């Protein structure tokens, strides 16, 4: 009798049941544009402490970076004591963080910032601190109790672990803990997270670690670190997987960490073309005004944070000149020319020969100045450059960049 009365509602009930797993995954709405902030690793490795991070937070506010959108302050590896407590809880290193994590998160929140931590899906972190394997739900509960807003989750000591399962378990643990925590997968790309991580997290690393060199690979036993152009090379084919809420992460920024001014500009420009998360990795307490100007350039940040959320891609690389294109909202485009060579390059670009089309995670867009004329603005200098009706004649210095916004006329 009861079954009979329920029968008409059955398809609806089954439908709801099928929808549940999707609902039970990551928190939505946390990264409609690529996340922005600062992370301790690139400059400080494990040499971090409470005062340093507070000073960095003060600097991010004072330098105008917070107002420009950099809101997450993330502690990378090295924040923990070497052992869990007797109840299995993670313990912040008492010498480095004498007032604990909750107090530090409260400090960030009082400045209008958000706060992030790091751990690892394996049994240990890369620097040898306690990993989360087997403690996913307990760790997630502690992060929520400490008012953490962001978790970067690494992939060291993970032999024999299935990446999709491990990251899904942590994602579910965060969800269960109840606090909206942005989830950053740091799996280095080996298990193609772009194919499965969109429901799991908000960003996923696509490569091994970046280092502050322009175009080389540093080899160590068993792993490499990559310069910015090597990382950029490895993004081929990935634009189709990114979109609002789920981003490819070509690793944190090395702007201000020793490359030339031109190289810093190129690095930042390519990351903005890629809709990359912008996580600064320099010492914000002692940043030059040139570095500050790169990190807060409004026109570049508008490209990175464009609400359409389409990732750009490399259209051509000819005679060491790379041409990157990115579809933007309102039918606009960003075009970025990078000079990979060690000498200046003269550019003669007949726009009518450009026909760039590719699928992005939010649709397929075509740039064809032969059928649509655009006005051109130089994003680094704000100079108006005319339009795509005339060929572009210019020169790009070695390792430098020209970024143009193309607006429908
Ligand atoms: C890995 C990650 C880096 C950093 C270190 C910390 O190498 O890819 O980004 O988090 O671990 O040990």
């Amino acid at each position: 009798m009861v079954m009979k009365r329920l029968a008409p509602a059955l398809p609806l009930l089954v439908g709801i049941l099928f929808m549940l797993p999707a609902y039970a995954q990551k928190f939505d709405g946390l990264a409609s544009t690529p996340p922005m902030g600062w992370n301790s690793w690139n400059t400080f490795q494990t040499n971090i402490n409470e005062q340093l991070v507070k000073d960095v937070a003060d600097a991010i506010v004072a330098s105008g970076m917070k107002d420009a959108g950099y809101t997450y302050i993330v502690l990378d590896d090295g924040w923990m004591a070497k052992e869990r407590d007797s109840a299995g809880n993670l313990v912040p290193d008492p010498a480095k963080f004498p007032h604990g994590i909750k107090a530090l998160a409260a400090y960030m929140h009082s400045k209008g910032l958000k706060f992030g931590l790091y751990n690892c899906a394996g049994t240990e972190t890369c620097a040898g601190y306690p990993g989360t394997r087997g403690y996913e739900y307990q760790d997630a509960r502690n992060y929520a109790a400490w008012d953490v807003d962001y978790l970067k989750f690494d992939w060291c000591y993970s032999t024999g672990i299935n990446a999709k399962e491990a990251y899904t378990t942590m994602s579910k643990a965060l969800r269960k803990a109840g606090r909206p925590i942005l989830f950053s997968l740091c799996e280095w790309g080996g298990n193609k997270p772009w194919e499965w991580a969109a429901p799991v997290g908000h960003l996923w690393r696509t490569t091994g670690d970046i280092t502050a060199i322009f175009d080389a690979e540093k080899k160590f036993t068993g792993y490499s670190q990559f310069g910015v152009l090597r990382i950029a090379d490895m993004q081929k084919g990935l634009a189709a997987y990114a979109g609002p809420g789920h981003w490819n992460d070509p690793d944190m920024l090395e702007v201000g960490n020793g490359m030339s001014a031109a190289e810093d500009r190129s690095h930042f420009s390519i990351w903005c073309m890629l809709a990359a998360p912008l996580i600064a990795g320099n010492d914000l307490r002692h940043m030059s005004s040139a570095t500050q100007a790169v990190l807060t350039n409004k026109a570049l940040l508008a490209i990175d944070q464009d609400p359409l959320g389409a990732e750009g891609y490399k259209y051509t690389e000819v005679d060491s000149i790379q041409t990157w294109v990115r579809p933007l909202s309102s039918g606009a485009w960003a075009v970025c020319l990078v000079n990979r060579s060690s000498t200046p390059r003269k550019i003669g670009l007949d726009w009518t020969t450009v026909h760039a089309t590719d699928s992005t995670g939010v649709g397929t867009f075509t740039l064809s100045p032969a059928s649509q004329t655009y006005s051109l603005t130089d994003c680094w200098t704000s100079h108006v450059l005319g339009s795509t009706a005339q060929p572009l004649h210019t020169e790009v210095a070695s390792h430098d960049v020209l970024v143009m916004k193309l607006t429908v006329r």
Side-chain angles (χ1 to χ4, degrees), residues 194 231-239 274 311 313-314 324:
W194 44 89
I231 297 230
D233 290 341
M234 290 185 262
Q235 308 310 309
K236 190 172 175 6
L238 300 188
L274 288 169
E311 179 175 327
Y313 53 93
K314 188 161 59 175
W324 295 78

Side-chain angles (χ1 to χ4, degrees), residues 121-122 153-168 185-198 200 204-208 238 241 248:
F153 208 50
D154 211 344
W155 190 233
C156 276
Y157 299 98
S158 60
T159 310
I161 303 178
N162 176 294
K164 182 177 174 186
E165 280 173 22
Y167 282 97
T168 301
L185 285 71
C186 179
E187 178 278 342
W188 318 318
N191 292 279
K192 302 191 173 169
W194 44 89
E195 289 181 353
W196 47 263
V200 177
W204 52 80
R205 280 274 296 278
T206 53
T207 70
L238 300 188
Y241 296 95
N248 288 307

Side-chain angles (χ1 to χ4, degrees), residues 41 76-77 118 125-127 152 154 156 186 188 205 208-209 251-252:
W41 184 254
D76 208 284
D77 211 349
Y118 160 100
T125 73
C126 298
K152 172 177 170 182
D154 211 344
C156 276
C186 179
W188 318 318
R205 280 274 296 278
D209 288 3
D251 206 356
M252 304 173 290

Side-chain angles (χ1 to χ4, degrees), residues 38-39 42-44 253 255-257 280-284 287 291 295:
W38 177 87
N39 173 299
N42 283 357
T43 295
F44 299 101
L253 295 168
V255 173
N257 283 346
N282 56 314
D283 186 348
L284 300 183
M287 165 170 63
T291 297
L295 291 169

Side-chain angles (χ1 to χ4, degrees), residues 25 38 69 81 123 133 139 168 235 308 331 347 357:
Q25 287 275 323
W38 177 87
T123 51
R133 183 70 175 164
D139 289 356
T168 301
Q235 308 310 309
L308 178 63
I347 309 280
T357 186

Side-chain angles (χ1 to χ4, degrees), residues 6 30 36 148-149 223 323 362 373 400:
L6 275 180
L30 295 184
M36 293 171 63
V148 166
D149 306 296
Y223 72 101
T323 304
V362 296
T373 303
D400 213 338

Side-chain angles (χ1 to χ4, degrees), residues 243-323:
H246 51 275
W247 308 100
N248 288 307
D249 174 11
D251 206 356
M252 304 173 290
L253 295 168
E254 292 283 14
V255 173
N257 283 346
M259 289 187 291
S260 72
E263 291 168 345
D264 272 356
R265 266 194 300 275
S266 293
H267 170 28
F268 194 74
S269 302
I270 296 171
W271 263 232
C272 292
M273 296 300 286
L274 288 169
L278 297 178
I279 309 294
N282 56 314
D283 186 348
L284 300 183
R285 300 167 308 168
H286 308 292
M287 165 170 63
S288 71
S289 54
T291 297
Q292 191 266 356
V294 171
L295 291 169
T296 58
N297 178 290
K298 280 203 168 63
L300 269 295
L301 289 174
I303 293 172
D304 184 74
Q305 299 287 304
D306 185 79
L308 178 63
E311 179 175 327
Y313 53 93
K314 188 161 59 175
Y315 166 55
T316 54
E317 180 160 350
V318 179
D319 189 24
S320 295
I321 292 291
Q322 303 184 335
T323 304

